[in-house]
Amino acid sequence: MTDWYYADGRNTRHGPVTQTALLQLRQDGIVGDGSLVWRDGLTGWQPFRELAAELGVTPAAGLEAWALEPVAPVATAAASEPVDAGWRPLAATATGAGGPGYADSPYAPPTANVARPDVVTRGGDVVLAGFLKRVAAYAIDAVIIGIASAVVGWLIYELLGVGGFGRGFWLEQAVLNAVSLVLSALYFAWFHAAYAMATPGKMAVGIKVVRLDGARISFLRGIGRYFATILSSLILMIGFLMAGFTQRKQALHDMVCDTLVVDRWAFTDRPELQRRELGTVTVVVLVLVGILTGLGLLGLLALVGFAAFS
């Protein structure tokens, strides 16, 4: 059975799916005749309409939806001018500008795949991200930041050592901590203010950070939100735990910066795609975190026991 891949309205690739599932997505309106699809053997991504015959479906009316009506020739036209056939496209009354068939019409202006402005759809159902999803997302981000900080910190430390500052444990720790702080602030602020409004960890889990009205946060607010997480940490992590029992599942730093953590499809035109369950990625990450935490506690107990009896 052939596996198919398709791109949604945000040009995000999905798949693989079976041919039956692809046809069901088209019937549900998720995949349109202009959506790009691909399978093994094709030289590149192609519009769905180009492969309609292979998939056994009939594409929606394109040029056929354009009706033509005769137009009487102008009486004042010069005799030397060629007689016009008198055909013109019927006014967009049946399909409407931008309606079905408009994009495929030869009279339509050229278009380009450019970045679209932010569109916030309010009034629909909003699924708030719970505490466990946020923990899983932060665990993924912590691994990414930890690796990046270690590499960059080591490079800077080597440069400091070559420059005559000497080598020492405390200097190394100070450099690593400073690099980690700067990278973490830039990492969270930039990703939260970007188009997806989510860090790689949040993207994997399927959540994002928005303002209370669903709008994207600014880079400066993202910086402030990161440093507000330090406030949540100073009170024995209670600021983070607040996301588990507050009404809108806000942590302390969310309340300080007027932000929400919601499902990735919240405040969009497809709210029905939101997921209330944890999801496979969240469950797997939480299991790994639990295993590593348990092993760490056992190792700590072993060290304490060894020190007590030595």
Side-chain angles (χ1 to χ4, degrees):
M1 182 176 293
T2 304
D3 290 331
W4 290 84
Y5 298 81
Y6 68 94
D8 59 19
R10 299 189 176 195
N11 289 331
T12 301
R13 195 188 80 173
H14 298 275
V17 298
T18 62
Q19 179 174 330
T20 302
L22 182 64
L23 296 178
Q24 183 63 43
L25 291 170
R26 179 179 182 269
Q27 184 177 354
D28 294 339
I30 299 176
V31 173
D33 288 343
S35 300
L36 297 177
V37 297
W38 180 86
R39 61 163 174 76
D40 189 22
L42 295 177
T43 57
W45 290 78
Q46 299 184 22
F48 184 93
R49 69 173 69 87
E50 299 295 335
L51 302 171
E54 177 182 343
L55 295 170
V57 296
T58 303
L63 298 180
E64 297 78 7
W66 281 68
L68 299 175
E69 65 179 9
V71 178
V74 180
T76 58
S80 61
E81 295 179 354
V83 179
D84 194 347
W87 294 92
R88 65 176 176 83
L90 186 63
T93 55
T95 58
Y102 180 76
D104 298 329
S105 168
Y107 301 98
T111 59
N113 186 20
V114 296
R116 297 173 297 173
D118 293 340
V119 177
V120 179
T121 304
R122 302 181 179 90
D125 185 28
V126 175
V127 175
L128 301 171
F131 178 74
L132 294 180
K133 285 188 176 182
R134 298 175 66 155
V135 169
Y138 186 78
I140 297 174
D141 291 327
V143 172
I144 297 174
I145 295 175
I147 295 175
S149 298
V151 172
V152 177
W154 178 80
L155 292 175
I156 295 177
Y157 175 74
E158 290 297 317
L159 292 176
L160 291 176
V162 171
F165 287 88
R167 300 173 182 269
F169 174 79
W170 296 112
L171 176 60
E172 180 181 2
Q173 294 304 308
V175 171
L176 290 177
N177 290 337
V179 170
S180 178
L181 179 65
V182 173
L183 285 182
S184 297
L186 295 177
Y187 175 89
F188 284 101
W190 188 84
F191 276 111
H192 287 160
Y195 179 78
M197 296 174 278
T199 59
K202 289 184 174 68
M203 293 181 198
V205 173
I207 58 179
K208 63 183 179 182
V209 177
V210 297
R211 296 291 306 275
L212 298 183
D213 59 356
R216 186 195 308 188
I217 70 173
S218 65
F219 179 77
L220 292 179
R221 186 176 294 272
I223 292 286
R225 186 178 184 275
Y226 171 76
F227 284 103
T229 60
I230 299 177
L231 178 61
S232 297
S233 305
L234 292 177
I235 52 177
L236 303 178
M237 297 295 184
I238 295 177
F240 290 100
L241 296 176
M242 290 171 61
F245 55 82
T246 53
Q247 182 178 4
R248 290 187 287 186
K249 298 185 179 180
Q250 290 178 292
L252 178 60
H253 47 276
D254 289 316
M255 295 180 177
V256 172
C257 298
D258 291 333
T259 57
L260 290 174
V261 182
V262 298
D263 187 272
R264 61 169 295 194
W265 293 103
F267 297 107
T268 69
D269 57 351
R270 303 302 301 275
E272 69 277 3
L273 297 179
Q274 298 179 95
R275 301 176 58 182
R276 298 184 183 276
E277 65 274 12
L278 291 180
T280 304
V281 175
T282 302
V283 173
V284 171
V285 172
L286 291 177
V287 169
L288 291 176
V289 170
I291 292 175
L292 294 176
T293 302
L295 292 176
L297 292 175
L298 289 177
L300 180 61
L301 292 175
L303 288 176
V304 172
F306 179 78
F309 290 99
S310 61

